[in-house]
């Protein structure tokens, strides 16, 4: 790399939905940008997660860009919940429509980004040994982009293929008639298990902690549905931006406690929302489901009763029922997950009672027996929220390492910026609604805030912006205080980094809601970027 292209105004790390939109937005402002992407194609999580059954758990019409009316008119989603191939085609269409590829460098992993205080630029070094220098650096690396592999002794010695769901081969994996073992029962497994069950000769699912899952009721989108969306497009998008989750459920805001409602009425409400195929419908039925354990027990009990009615073997059903509050771990959206365990070729292995000890040449061994397998599928999730950032050698003022700064947990201002790291931004970073929201809505909000910020700096003749330590300290305290008012911190989850050994237990997303968070960000910008130090 050599020449003006290596000295852009902005270097963007990641060519997923956030990086693509940011590149488009920066160009509209007349700023030059280069996007560096480690993968061989654009798309971010929707390029890497190709496992069987991979599908978005937010409705297609809601999980889409809203910045271009022409783009929305030109693209017709085929299903209510789009599958991975369709979402990837959509993102490729966006890149082609706005001619984004010419500024994207694929197969280029960022290994280090150091701030050069003498000239106030970021030096971004790639896996090729080349360096891109820019005044501003934006990390659009994704919240769920670094797979977490389990520490299972002997896994390298297994004679068959071993594939992580987040690193699925582009050409797929031969599973028909074979003995398949799936490790994990989170979102990816919940989607993959029903598809694998139909193809495998034998499917063994190794579960430590069961997940709550609700039915998607997926179906093709009709022309009438698309027309209704188009007719109320502006109002619908406005509701998304002002909502708590970035999703429009179609239900009015809750006004009553779950404990103040007649049990029969409450059961009817839960049943109606269960049939809606919405991630948020059950969680938002009453005001206190996520703040009061007895209230939460009503919805948790309802979902457990559904599992028992679906799974014919009472012992298997019992194992599939979580014992923690509903919603405090990621809720899954499925198509036939629980019914898959009624198939004679599917078995559930409870590794909490019979721990997984090691892999052998021929399969997986628990404390009590060996399961002979032909293929092992690892569905153990991600080093969430901070994994992609920690994988880069990020150094700010005085050579201070981000890893050292975050040794006790991530510390950001609004999930957008960090003290000691001038002109460095994160898209949907820890401390923002991010993974507890419709990611496309949160991505658009962050991208637009960052782009508007850079434009404001330019118009005012300023060149440096940096979050202040008091602002960071105050915001980290706010994020923690809001979380402590809920049931979320009562459970070990990847929201708290609990799935990574040695990680500090810190609740990372902001629970104050997308609409309220957006308002705060706008007020901070309107107040001259309160909480930031600006200089020329």
């Amino acid at each position: 790399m050599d020449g003006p292209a290596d000295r852009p105004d902005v270097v963007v790390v990641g060519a997923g939905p956030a990086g693509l939109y940011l590149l488009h937005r920066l160009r509209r402002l007349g700023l030059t940008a280069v996007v560096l992407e480690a993968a061989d194609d654009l798309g971010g999580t929707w390029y890497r997660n190709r496992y069987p059954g991979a599908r978005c758990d937010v409705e297609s019409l809601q999980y889409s860009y809203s910045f271009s009316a022409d783009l929305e008119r030109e693209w017709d989603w085929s299903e209510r919940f789009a599958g991975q191939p369709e979402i990837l085609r959509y993102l490729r269409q966006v890149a082609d429509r706005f001619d984004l590829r010419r500024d994207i460098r694929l197969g280029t992993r960022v290994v280090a980004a150091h701030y050069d205080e003498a000239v106030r630029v970021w030096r971004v070094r790639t896996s090729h040994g080349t360096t891109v220098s820019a005044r501003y650096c934006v990390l659009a690396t994704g919240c769920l982009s670094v797979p977490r592999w389990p520490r299972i002794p002997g896994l390298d010695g297994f004679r068959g293929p071993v594939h992580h769901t987040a690193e699925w081969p582009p050409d797929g994996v031969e599973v028909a008639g074979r003995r398949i073992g799936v490790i994990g029962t989170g979102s990816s497994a919940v989607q993959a298990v029903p598809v694998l069950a139909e193809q495998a000769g034998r499917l063994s699912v190794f579960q430590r902690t069961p997940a709550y899952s609700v039915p998607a009721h997926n179906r093709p989108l009709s022309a009438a549905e698309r027309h209704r969306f188009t007719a109320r497009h502006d109002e619908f998008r406005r509701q998304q931006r002002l909502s708590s989750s970035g999703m429009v459920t179609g239900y009015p805001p809750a006004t009553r406690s779950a404990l103040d409602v007649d049990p029969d009425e409450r059961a009817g409400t839960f049943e109606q929302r269960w049939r809606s195929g919405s991630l948020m419908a059950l969680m938002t039925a009453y005001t206190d489901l996520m703040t009061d354990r007895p209230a939460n027990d009503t919805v948790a009990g309802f979902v457990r009763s559904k599992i028992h009615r679906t799974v014919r073997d009472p012992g298997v059903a019992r194992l599939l029922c979580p014992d923690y509050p509903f919603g405090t771990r990621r809720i899954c959206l499925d198509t036939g997950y629980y019914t898959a365990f009624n198939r004679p070729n599917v078995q559930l292995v409870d590794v909490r009672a019979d721990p997984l000890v090691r892999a052998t040449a021929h399969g997986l061994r628990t404390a009590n027996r060996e399961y002979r397998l032909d293929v092992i599928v690892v569905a153990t999730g991600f080093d969430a929220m901070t994994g992609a950032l920690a994988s880069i050698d990020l150094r700010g003022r005085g050579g201070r390492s981000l890893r050292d700064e975050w040794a006790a947990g991530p510390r950001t201002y609004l999930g957008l910026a960090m003290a000691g790291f001038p002109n460095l931004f994160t898209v949907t970073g820890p401390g923002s609604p991010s993974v507890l929201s419709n990611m496309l809505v949160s991505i658009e909000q962050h991208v637009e805030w960052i782009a508007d910020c850079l434009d404001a700096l330019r118009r005012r003749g300023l060149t440096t912006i940096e979050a202040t330590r008091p602002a960071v300290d105050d915001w980290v305290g706010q994020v923690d205080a809001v979380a402590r008012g809920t049931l979320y911190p009562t459970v070990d989850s990847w929201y708290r980094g609990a799935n990574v050994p040695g990680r500090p237990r810190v609740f990372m997303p902001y629970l104050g809601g997308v609409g309220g968070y957006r308002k705060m960000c706008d007020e901070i910008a309107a107040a001259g970027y309160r909480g930031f130090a600006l200089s020329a």
Side-chain angles (χ1 to χ4, degrees):
M1 291 185 286
D2 187 29
D6 301 312
R7 296 187 294 274
D9 297 314
V10 186
V11 60
V12 179
V13 184
L20 295 179
Y21 181 38
L22 182 58
L23 175 57
H24 173 67
R25 192 82 178 190
L26 293 171
R27 279 188 188 169
R28 288 177 58 187
L29 293 173
L31 294 169
T32 58
V34 169
V35 179
L36 306 178
E37 169 58 52
D40 294 330
D41 199 355
L42 56 83
T45 188
W46 295 112
Y47 173 71
R48 289 182 287 267
N49 287 261
R50 315 178 191 93
Y51 59 85
R55 187 175 299 280
C56 189
D57 55 11
V58 177
E59 292 181 78
S60 304
L61 293 174
Q62 302 201 42
Y63 189 87
S64 56
Y65 291 120
S66 66
F67 68 86
S68 170
D70 289 340
L71 174 64
E72 292 194 275
R73 283 191 294 269
E74 293 166 4
W75 185 269
D76 282 334
W77 294 102
S78 66
E79 296 180 282
R80 186 183 178 203
F81 295 98
Q84 177 268 340
E86 185 172 13
I87 298 173
L88 184 57
R89 288 197 301 273
Y90 170 71
L91 294 174
R92 287 170 173 167
Q93 166 69 9
V94 170
D96 293 339
R97 192 190 191 287
F98 298 104
D99 188 26
L100 302 179
R101 292 182 185 269
R102 60 185 167 90
D103 289 322
I104 300 174
R105 296 177 182 172
L106 301 172
T108 306
R109 180 176 298 279
V110 170
V111 297
H114 295 179
Y115 185 64
D116 187 333
E117 291 185 70
V119 291
R120 297 187 179 187
V121 300
W122 281 94
R123 310 287 190 192
V124 180
R125 193 170 75 250
T126 75
S127 53
H128 303 304
T130 53
T131 299
V132 180
S133 299
R135 185 175 300 281
Y136 302 102
C137 179
V138 183
L139 302 171
T141 48
C143 298
L144 300 173
S145 55
V146 175
R148 191 188 72 81
W149 284 81
R151 297 177 179 177
I152 301 176
L155 198 57
D156 291 342
F158 176 64
R159 292 182 180 176
V162 180
H163 297 291
H164 198 291
T165 49
E167 295 177 332
W168 204 255
D171 297 330
V173 178
E174 180 57 49
V175 298
R178 306 181 81 182
R179 297 168 299 183
I180 313 298
V182 175
I183 304 172
T185 50
S187 298
S188 300
V190 163
Q191 292 186 335
V193 162
V195 180
L196 294 173
E198 293 178 353
Q199 303 172 9
R202 182 72 173 171
L203 179 65
S204 302
V205 181
F206 296 83
Q207 172 187 275
R208 182 183 61 184
T209 306
Y212 285 107
S213 188
V214 299
H217 301 298
N218 192 30
R219 50 176 168 69
L221 278 175
S222 67
E225 286 176 296
R226 297 191 193 98
H227 176 73
R228 284 196 298 272
F229 173 76
T230 303
R232 57 186 294 263
H233 170 272
D234 292 348
E235 174 59 20
F236 186 90
R237 292 301 193 185
R238 187 187 73 83
Q239 290 180 22
Q240 277 190 289
R241 296 184 184 107
L242 296 179
S243 70
S244 177
S245 64
M247 289 179 261
V248 179
T249 65
Y251 295 102
T255 58
R256 295 185 293 175
S257 162
L259 303 177
D260 291 340
V261 180
D262 176 80
D264 289 340
E265 179 187 347
R266 188 173 61 221
T269 297
F270 288 153
E271 181 65 33
Q272 180 190 46
R273 295 189 177 219
W274 175 265
R275 295 177 180 177
S276 71
S278 167
L279 274 180
M280 301 303 299
L282 279 172
M283 288 182 67
T284 57
Y286 297 102
T287 58
D288 52 357
L289 294 180
M290 298 310 299
T291 57
D292 181 77
R293 183 61 188 261
N296 188 281
D297 287 342
T298 64
V299 66
F302 172 82
V303 177
R304 287 194 286 265
S305 72
K306 286 292 187 181
I307 297 171
H308 277 283
R309 292 174 194 169
T310 303
V311 181
R312 290 194 290 265
D313 185 321
V316 174
R318 185 171 60 254
L319 291 176
L320 289 168
C321 286
D323 58 3
Y324 52 86
F326 178 79
T328 51
R329 285 172 172 258
R330 183 182 176 119
I331 301 172
C332 304
L333 198 70
D334 76 272
T335 299
Y337 176 65
Y338 294 118
T339 56
F341 291 94
N342 292 330
R343 298 178 62 97
N345 67 324
V346 178
Q347 65 177 330
L348 182 66
V349 182
D350 179 13
V351 298
R352 184 181 290 177
D354 186 15
L356 191 56
V357 175
R358 63 176 292 105
T360 69
H362 304 290
L364 292 170
R365 177 176 290 281
T366 65
N368 294 323
R369 61 167 288 190
E370 181 177 1
Y371 295 83
R372 295 181 73 86
L373 304 168
D374 300 311
V375 180
I376 295 177
V377 176
V378 178
T380 49
F382 301 87
D383 186 346
M385 302 289 288
T386 60
L389 303 178
S391 69
I392 301 170
D393 177 19
L394 281 164
R395 296 183 182 272
R397 290 190 185 277
R400 181 69 172 172
S401 166
L402 184 71
R403 294 168 188 160
D404 292 339
E405 287 281 322
W406 287 8
R411 300 183 62 80
T412 75
Y413 184 34
L414 304 169
L416 278 162
M418 291 84 75
F421 295 81
N423 293 352
L424 180 72
F425 298 93
T426 55
V427 180
T428 62
S432 72
S434 59
V435 294
L436 290 176
S437 69
N438 177 348
M439 287 299 295
L440 257 293
V441 172
S442 288
I443 282 170
E444 284 194 324
Q445 186 255 328
H446 264 204
V447 165
E448 289 162 9
W449 193 95
I450 293 168
D452 290 347
C453 175
L454 299 188
D455 187 44
L457 294 176
R458 182 176 58 177
R459 286 186 284 102
R460 294 170 59 183
L462 302 172
T463 57
T464 306
I465 181 169
E466 179 183 347
T468 66
R469 291 200 180 274
V472 169
D473 292 343
D474 179 69
W475 183 247
V476 170
Q478 287 190 55
V479 172
D480 180 64
V482 174
R484 282 190 284 105
T486 73
L487 296 173
Y488 282 97
T490 66
V491 174
D492 278 340
S493 68
W494 60 256
Y495 298 143
R496 301 180 66 222
N499 65 324
V500 180
R503 175 72 60 78
R505 300 293 193 266
V506 176
F507 194 80
M508 293 181 281
Y510 174 62
L511 280 166
V514 168
Y517 172 83
R518 176 188 294 270
K519 182 180 178 182
M520 280 192 293
C521 290
D522 290 346
E523 289 174 348
I524 286 168
Y529 296 95
R530 184 176 64 246
F532 289 92
L534 312 178
S535 61

